[in-house]
Amino acid sequence: MITQMGRIAGLGVLLGFVLALLAGSLAQAQELKTLKSGYELPDVLNAIPSAGGVCRQDDTFASLINGEFSKETTKLDLSCAKTAQDLVPILAQSKGSLIDLRSAADYRVWHVPNSTNLTLSDILTKLYLRNNIIVLMGDGRLESEIYLACSRLKHAGFRQVFMVRGGILGWMQHGYATRGNAVKLSDAVKITSAELWAGAQFVENRILLDADRISMRALLPSAIVLNVNAISMVRAIVSSSRGGKQKSTPLMGLIFVTSSTISEEQLRDLHQAALPYSLLVYTGTELDYRTFVDQQKAVFSAQARGPKTLGCGL
């Protein structure tokens, strides 16, 4: 009997609590109705933006941030590049750090003594390096990646950032020491269809078409068709760049497209003529390159037709 009375009392308390909540809600509803009928909301409530307004502001702000970040970090800063000869005295300073951005596997095979193997992400997390002189080194193949890394580091607050023009190959070609088993020059400079396409996206790269590859001109519209031997043309381009005659389009590197078999000695002469810039060689077939270009077009077309980013709140 006592237990039942306790339960009834408990239910009574709970019912009273619910009724009080309902009464409060009705009072608030009546108050809001009164406000809507002619009274203005308090300033503290008026200061709160509507959900739709916040949504639009956030979208706009995000697009501005992303746009500015993308603009700053994808621009090639060609002033980053210096020759190995210019950088050796800089590295001799107490705060000079030579950072090898190649893969850990490539670094284990051969590298420059006293260099450190790090990724770009590693460098960005080591804030104590911001006051150091940072010298970046790549493999001398797609230099654009190293230029972009240099730009990103400068944008992130690293004060003095440079890169070895021509990468570890340029370092070796200048006669400076390396440790380990250096790769053959022919293996180091020959590129794939994908790498040729990537290099062709930058006007700072000069693409030279051998006479036997003139049919690829449609695929590489900015390429220079050789009317003299390759070494003479390379020397002329490098000399013109050094003389400051190509201010509108600075030189980043050269890519020689040929179907001829090139000996190790010929490659060495070409690479020497290109110094201090890197020189890469494509000896693949036109069909391979055309197939890759068609694949890229298909990818871009699929992305253009793909799902769009939903609007805010959807």
Side-chain angles (χ1 to χ4, degrees):
M1 184 71 176
I2 296 175
T3 303
Q4 290 180 348
M5 291 179 64
R7 288 177 180 175
I8 293 173
L11 288 173
V13 172
L14 179 60
L15 181 60
F17 180 71
V18 171
L19 290 173
L21 286 177
L22 288 174
S25 299
L26 289 172
Q28 289 179 351
Q30 184 62 36
E31 183 179 354
L32 287 174
K33 184 177 180 181
T34 303
L35 287 171
K36 288 182 179 179
S37 64
Y39 294 96
E40 293 185 358
L41 289 171
D43 291 340
V44 66
L45 295 181
N46 277 323
I48 301 175
S50 64
V54 173
C55 187
R56 287 191 296 273
Q57 289 174 7
D58 287 346
D59 281 353
T60 304
F61 183 70
S63 64
L64 286 173
I65 292 296
N66 292 335
E68 287 301 313
F69 185 77
S70 175
K71 179 180 178 182
E72 291 296 328
T73 56
T74 57
K75 183 180 179 181
L76 295 183
D77 184 356
L78 298 186
S79 67
C80 288
K82 291 185 177 295
T83 66
Q85 290 175 318
D86 293 331
L87 290 170
V88 166
I90 294 176
L91 287 168
Q93 300 180 33
S94 59
K95 288 192 175 182
S97 300
L98 178 60
I99 298 179
D100 193 324
L101 292 177
R102 296 177 303 147
S103 68
D106 288 340
Y107 183 82
R108 285 193 294 269
V109 173
W110 69 308
H111 59 268
V112 175
N114 300 319
S115 63
T116 304
N117 184 218
L118 296 174
T119 65
L120 177 59
S121 298
D122 292 334
I123 303 172
L124 288 168
T125 60
K126 299 182 185 302
L127 300 184
Y128 63 87
L129 289 176
R130 285 188 174 184
N131 295 323
N132 287 20
I133 299 172
I134 304 295
V135 176
L136 306 175
M137 174 178 285
D139 57 12
R141 293 170 71 85
L142 293 180
E143 295 276 75
S144 56
E145 295 179 359
I146 312 300
Y147 281 103
L148 291 174
C150 181
S151 297
R152 284 198 62 186
L153 289 173
K154 287 185 175 181
H155 185 68
F158 290 78
R159 298 178 181 178
Q160 298 186 74
V161 187
F162 305 101
M163 58 171 280
V164 181
R165 179 176 277 137
I168 192 169
L169 290 176
W171 182 274
M172 183 180 66
Q173 288 292 99
H174 276 95
Y176 293 109
T178 59
R179 181 177 296 161
N181 299 316
V183 298
K184 290 174 59 177
L185 187 60
S186 56
D187 294 332
V189 302
K190 286 185 179 179
I191 59 175
T192 64
S193 296
E195 290 171 324
L196 173 58
W197 180 86
Q201 305 313 302
F202 293 91
V203 295
E204 294 86 356
N205 283 324
R206 304 291 189 275
I207 300 177
L208 310 179
L209 283 182
D210 206 352
D212 58 8
R213 284 300 177 87
I214 194 170
S215 60
M216 292 183 67
R217 183 66 185 272
L219 296 170
L220 298 164
S222 63
I224 302 169
V225 179
L226 295 181
N227 53 14
V228 294
N229 70 71
I231 292 179
S232 297
M233 179 61 77
V234 168
R235 286 174 177 162
I237 292 174
V238 171
S239 176
S240 177
S241 178
R242 284 174 172 172
K245 297 178 181 179
Q246 299 181 6
K247 292 181 180 179
S248 58
T249 308
L251 179 61
M252 181 168 63
L254 301 100
I255 301 175
F256 181 40
V257 180
T258 182
S259 62
S260 304
T261 301
I262 304 178
S263 67
E264 195 76 14
E265 183 179 355
Q266 289 173 318
L267 278 175
R268 194 175 296 109
D269 291 341
L270 276 171
H271 204 268
Q272 194 68 35
L275 287 176
Y277 303 98
S278 62
L279 182 138
L280 305 174
V281 179
Y282 177 75
T283 58
T285 67
E286 179 180 346
L287 178 60
D288 287 343
Y289 185 67
R290 184 181 296 277
T291 300
F292 182 82
V293 171
D294 290 342
Q295 290 172 348
Q296 289 301 107
K297 289 179 179 178
V299 169
F300 293 149
S301 178
Q303 289 175 342
R305 298 192 309 269
K308 308 299 181 185
T309 302
L310 293 177
C312 186
L314 298 180

